[in-house]
Amino acid sequence: MARYGMMIDTRKCVGCYACRVSCQMQNELPVEVSFIKFHEIETGVFPNVKNEIIPVQCQHCEDAPCESVCPTKATYTTEDGIVLVDPEKCIGCKYCMVACPYQARTQDHLTGVVEKCRFCVDLVAEGKQPACVSTCISTARIFGDLDDPNSEISKAIVKYNAKPLREDLGKTKIYYVR
């Protein structure tokens, strides 16, 4: 069984928002709702300034704090490591929103269900890439099996010494090259 993950190379990200738009379209989200947020960090002093764009979404934590606080067990982790929400069980209490250290959840104001990145589980089941990966114009995103040492993602994580965004918050399935 695969354990899916993603690597995002912030050195390649140009902030075009193609990943965000494709995610919104794939998940039929309204324009004001997104599973991907962007943080910009400017460092240096003119004329030596660097601008880093960091796309942040659900990190699919190994020991997801959102899952442990869910009173109805609506948030769960699949066998392949993808953290999902069962909309039939979600009561909209927002405990998971508070527990998420990445603020990666949003509530559907029509249904009350709390949503998040799903790693495009339906596309992945068909052998395709998540929408954000397949539309990234700068190939800043790689998706694949973290447990396969010969997979593109595993090799890239080692090659670029990719790390979770916040190692102090525990293991995640999204790695960053910065």
Side-chain angles (χ1 to χ4, degrees):
M1 177 63 60
R3 186 172 62 93
Y4 291 113
M6 187 179 294
M7 186 187 88
I8 301 172
D9 189 339
T10 64
R11 300 169 310 163
K12 290 182 173 183
C13 180
V14 296
C16 70
Y17 287 43
C19 58
R20 179 179 170 148
V21 172
S22 66
C23 173
Q24 288 172 302
M25 291 176 65
Q26 178 66 33
N27 293 291
E28 300 178 354
L29 300 175
V31 71
E32 68 275 3
V33 176
S34 178
F35 295 158
I36 302 172
K37 296 176 181 145
F38 293 85
H39 299 284
E40 289 191 51
I41 299 174
E42 189 176 294
T43 55
V45 178
F46 180 81
N48 301 312
V49 178
K50 179 183 175 195
N51 189 45
E52 181 182 24
I53 300 165
I54 305 171
V56 180
Q57 62 201 59
C58 173
Q59 302 290 298
H60 296 273
C61 301
E62 291 285 344
D63 188 19
C66 58
E67 184 175 353
S68 63
V69 300
C70 182
T72 63
K73 307 294 182 215
T75 298
Y76 64 100
T77 303
T78 65
E79 287 181 7
D80 46 15
I82 300 174
V83 178
L84 295 176
V85 177
D86 181 342
E88 299 297 319
K89 291 182 178 179
C90 181
I91 58 173
C93 67
K94 300 183 185 177
Y95 287 174
C96 59
M97 290 178 80
V98 173
C100 177
Y102 299 96
Q103 300 174 352
R105 290 181 167 243
T106 185
Q107 187 173 39
D108 183 319
H109 295 291
L110 297 176
T111 65
V113 173
V114 177
E115 294 285 350
K116 55 176 266 333
C117 165
R118 304 178 192 107
F119 269 166
C120 292
V121 69
D122 295 337
L123 292 176
V124 171
E126 295 173 10
K128 298 177 183 174
Q129 294 286 303
C132 63
V133 175
S134 63
T135 60
C136 181
I137 64 167
S138 61
T139 63
R141 292 170 176 262
I142 299 173
F143 181 83
D145 184 357
L146 295 169
D147 287 342
D148 178 359
N150 295 314
S151 68
E152 180 184 8
I153 187 172
S154 292
K155 289 178 180 179
I157 288 170
V158 170
K159 180 179 179 178
Y160 298 112
N161 195 29
K163 305 275 187 214
L165 190 59
R166 294 276 314 269
E167 291 184 271
D168 59 314
L169 296 176
K171 293 182 76 177
T172 66
K173 290 179 207 81
I174 296 189
Y175 292 78
Y176 290 82
V177 178
R178 301 184 65 196

